[in-house]
Every structure is written in C-alpha cells, then in structure tokens.
Amino acid sequence: MESRPDRAQPRRGLSRPRKAQPNRRQAHSLERIQAIIEAQPELRDRVALALLARHGLRKDELRRLRWRDLDLQVGLMRLHAKGGKRPEVPIVFADLLADLNRLYLESQAKPSHYLLFPRRVGNLPSHGGRGVVAEYPDKPMVPSTMHRWFKRCLEQAGAADMLMH
C-alpha cells in the first residue's frame, strides 16, 4: 500500500506562525484629538472627526451615516453597525449636536444625503476652471477615499499618523 505524502509529512500543510507585530493601538490625549478637530477648516470635517473621536464610531459607521439616520431634535444617531445591527446611540455632547444642526442647515442637506460624501476639487474640464468642487452627497465615500480624507485631516493638523476609530 502506498503512503500518501501528506500523511507521511503532516507538517508540510502547516504554515509558519506570524511574527508578533507590535501593537500600534494607543489612546491619544484629549488635547491632541481636539487640536486635530479644530485644525480643520470645514465644519463637515470637524463634525465627522468629532463623531469618530468623541462617540467612538467605526469608520464604516461614519461612512454610511445619512442625515435620515440622525434625529437632531431628540439627539439620536441610528448607526449601520457590524453584523447588520442598527443601534440607536444618543448624541451626548451638546456642542456636537449644535454643530450637526448647523451643518445640516448650511449644507441644505436632504435626508437621503450622506454626512460624509465624496468631493472632487480641482481642474474639472466640464466646468471650465480650476478650484471647482463637484460634490456627490447621495453617494457614500468608498473606503479608500475615506482613508485619504482622514490622512488629509491629519496633515492639516500637522499630526503624525494615527488610526481611525
């Protein structure tokens, strides 16, 4: 009877264990987080960063947050959480709730619009000029755009690389 090679050498099917990676997660000081938020020139970016930092939203929860998910009268957010869950989270910071109200009014957002949506800034041939902004409020940012947005926010604050959430 012929022996099978995988039975004769059972370790061949195994891979080496991964080398231990240093844990990059760390808590950042409130002062540092507040400085990053305040360094943003746009209210939308300040509000989005405050939701990440002060309410602990995950990046996908922020990415998928629409105005219809916010009850600004009562101060509640209904999130699109992991596992298809839809928890209602109170907005506990009065200043953040006021900024959300102000952003909603100033942006003339519709309930179906996303809080954080893609923008295109620069030379748009169809608009005949530089510095023109094309906004797509009815589309969520894709994850790669979200990471570029976060990196830009950190650069504007002169902050070193840190993790979202």
Side-chain angles (χ1 to χ4, degrees), residues 3-131:
S3 69
R4 293 179 55 195
D6 57 336
R7 287 188 182 171
Q9 299 284 334
R11 67 182 185 147
R12 282 193 178 172
L14 300 175
S15 60
R16 291 181 182 257
R18 288 191 276 174
K19 291 183 181 179
Q21 297 289 326
N23 192 351
R24 289 184 44 197
R25 292 181 186 231
Q26 61 181 356
H28 299 285
S29 71
L30 293 175
E31 293 80 19
R32 181 175 183 210
I33 291 170
Q34 192 60 34
I36 293 169
I37 292 169
E38 290 174 0
Q40 306 311 309
E42 293 187 39
L43 179 61
R44 176 188 89 147
D45 296 341
R46 289 192 303 271
V47 166
L49 288 171
L51 285 169
L52 281 172
R54 296 170 79 185
H55 277 284
L57 265 62
R58 289 180 164 84
K59 52 190 160 190
D60 198 55
E61 291 170 343
L62 177 62
R63 189 179 75 81
R64 297 175 62 194
L65 189 64
R66 293 182 185 216
W67 287 105
R68 69 176 170 220
D69 299 326
L70 298 168
D71 186 341
L72 299 176
Q73 301 299 319
V74 179
L76 283 175
M77 291 183 282
R78 187 158 190 195
L79 302 176
H80 297 268
K82 291 171 79 173
K85 297 176 185 169
R86 296 292 312 267
E88 287 189 351
V89 178
I91 303 169
V92 296
F93 301 98
D95 60 330
L96 180 55
L97 186 58
D99 284 345
L100 278 163
N101 274 298
R102 192 171 125 220
L103 179 61
Y104 182 73
L105 293 173
E106 287 179 7
S107 66
Q108 299 175 356
K110 296 178 183 172
S112 63
H113 287 174
Y114 288 87
L115 179 79
L116 205 56
F117 50 83
R119 290 179 166 171
R120 185 169 173 207
V121 180
N123 187 9
L124 297 177
S126 62
H127 291 80
R130 297 184 60 79

